[in-house]
Amino acid sequence: MEIQNHDLIHPTAIIHSGAKLGKGTRVGPFSVISSDAIVGDNCEIQENVIIRGRVTLGNDCKVFPFSVLGGEPQHLGYKNEPTEVVVGDRVVFRESVTVHRGTVMGGGVTRIGSDCLIMAYVHVGHDCHVGNKVIIVNASQLAGHVIVEDFATVGGQTGVVQHCRVGRYCYIGGGSLIRKDLPPFLAGKGNDFQIQGINRVGMERAGIDSKRIADMKEIYKIFLLQNLTVSKALEKISVEFPESEDAKVFLDFVKSSKVGVHR
């Protein structure tokens, strides 16, 4: 623990020997940080936070009360192996978030990128990979081995089943259940999940130009509205958009699916 941090740590906090805290990082009352934890510069660990096991937080992260980062995975095959959680910069964990460490069989790492907002009561299960600039809204639950790609938004009280993927720039409405992979750029909602179009608002907010948005709308129509088989739809998209990087991302995502895709 860095000497210059002593006056930024509340006297009731427990910082185990071996923990590494960056410059300017504050730790609030009754928080506990394990000996294997690495916390970056200018982080704010508020009161009653637990960081346990091998957890790495980047710079400028903020963890609100009653969150537990690095808890043991809820997996019967876990045998106390030294797995970890790795978090990027400028990530906000609101109240009562839980993020579990990875498992050996799942690669050993639960990973969250940079500039994410993880709202209250969210659970990120073992071996999940969450990208950059992702928003996960209150009380959503990611089962083990879930992937959420960059710029996606997961609405409140949504469940994502294990091994499923949410593509980049997707928008999932509140109260949804994702049982299959959701291809990039799409938006939808529902317990019986229905795709309703492209995530135009999210794409515009991210600075994507109108030509790319228009092309993505046409790709959506081909894939979902023209009553084509998946293989025929993918073939048509590749022919009509041979130079589009977004089309390539979409095609690669669908082709690599192991659990099927929402249509």
Side-chain angles (χ1 to χ4, degrees):
M1 184 172 60
E2 300 290 342
I3 296 297
Q4 63 265 29
N5 280 320
H6 281 187
D7 59 350
L8 302 179
I9 298 170
H10 194 275
T12 62
I14 299 174
I15 314 296
H16 287 277
S17 174
K20 296 180 175 63
L21 304 185
K23 295 179 181 178
T25 286
R26 296 176 177 272
V27 182
F30 305 108
S31 287
V32 180
I33 299 180
S34 78
S35 59
D36 294 323
I38 300 172
V39 180
D41 297 341
N42 301 310
C43 290
E44 182 180 340
I45 311 301
Q46 296 187 1
E47 61 271 26
N48 297 291
V49 169
I50 297 176
I51 298 178
R52 59 187 299 149
R54 298 176 62 183
V55 176
T56 301
L57 289 182
N59 300 325
D60 301 297
C61 291
K62 192 171 185 178
V63 188
F64 281 70
F66 305 109
S67 292
V68 180
L69 307 183
E72 292 84 346
Q74 297 175 131
H75 192 294
L76 293 175
Y78 179 71
K79 304 302 180 186
N80 205 36
E81 297 92 346
T83 55
E84 60 185 323
V85 170
V86 177
V87 178
D89 300 329
R90 299 174 299 279
V91 176
V92 175
F93 298 95
R94 292 303 305 251
E95 297 82 357
S96 301
V97 167
T98 53
V99 180
H100 286 177
R101 299 197 300 270
T103 63
V104 171
M105 58 284 293
V109 181
T110 300
R111 191 178 302 275
I112 297 175
S114 296
D115 300 297
C116 296
L117 173 56
I118 314 298
M119 296 190 192
Y121 300 100
V122 166
H123 173 67
V124 179
H126 60 83
D127 304 297
C128 286
H129 287 191
V130 176
N132 300 311
K133 297 189 175 181
V134 170
I135 298 173
I136 306 179
V137 183
N138 302 62
S140 291
Q141 312 288 298
L142 306 186
H145 311 281
V146 164
I147 295 174
V148 181
E149 296 184 349
D150 298 349
F151 295 97
T153 298
V154 179
Q157 298 183 324
T158 289
V160 184
V161 173
Q162 62 184 4
H163 297 287
C164 289
R165 298 178 297 162
V166 177
R168 66 182 69 179
Y169 295 100
C170 281
Y171 178 86
I172 299 171
S176 296
L177 180 58
I178 302 299
R179 297 181 176 93
K180 299 179 181 180
D181 291 345
L182 180 60
F185 307 103
L186 301 182
K189 64 181 180 180
N191 185 265
D192 184 12
F193 190 81
Q194 299 292 321
I195 295 172
Q196 298 175 314
I198 64 169
N199 182 18
R200 175 184 293 274
V201 172
M203 295 169 74
E204 289 175 345
R205 287 176 177 173
I208 293 178
D209 62 59
S210 58
K211 173 63 166 60
R212 288 175 63 191
I213 293 174
D215 286 350
M216 199 61 236
K217 187 173 182 180
E218 293 305 311
I219 290 170
Y220 157 75
K221 289 179 179 178
I222 293 169
F223 191 70
L224 284 114
L225 302 183
Q226 295 186 5
N227 295 318
L228 299 172
T229 64
V230 170
S231 59
K232 289 295 184 183
L234 297 183
E235 180 181 352
K236 187 172 183 179
I237 291 168
S238 64
V239 169
E240 295 195 11
F241 299 92
E243 305 298 326
S244 170
E245 285 299 316
D246 294 333
K248 183 178 185 303
V249 166
F250 188 93
L251 292 168
D252 289 346
F253 184 98
V254 175
K255 289 176 182 178
S256 64
S257 177
K258 296 179 181 178
V259 298
V261 295
H262 280 284
R263 289 189 82 193

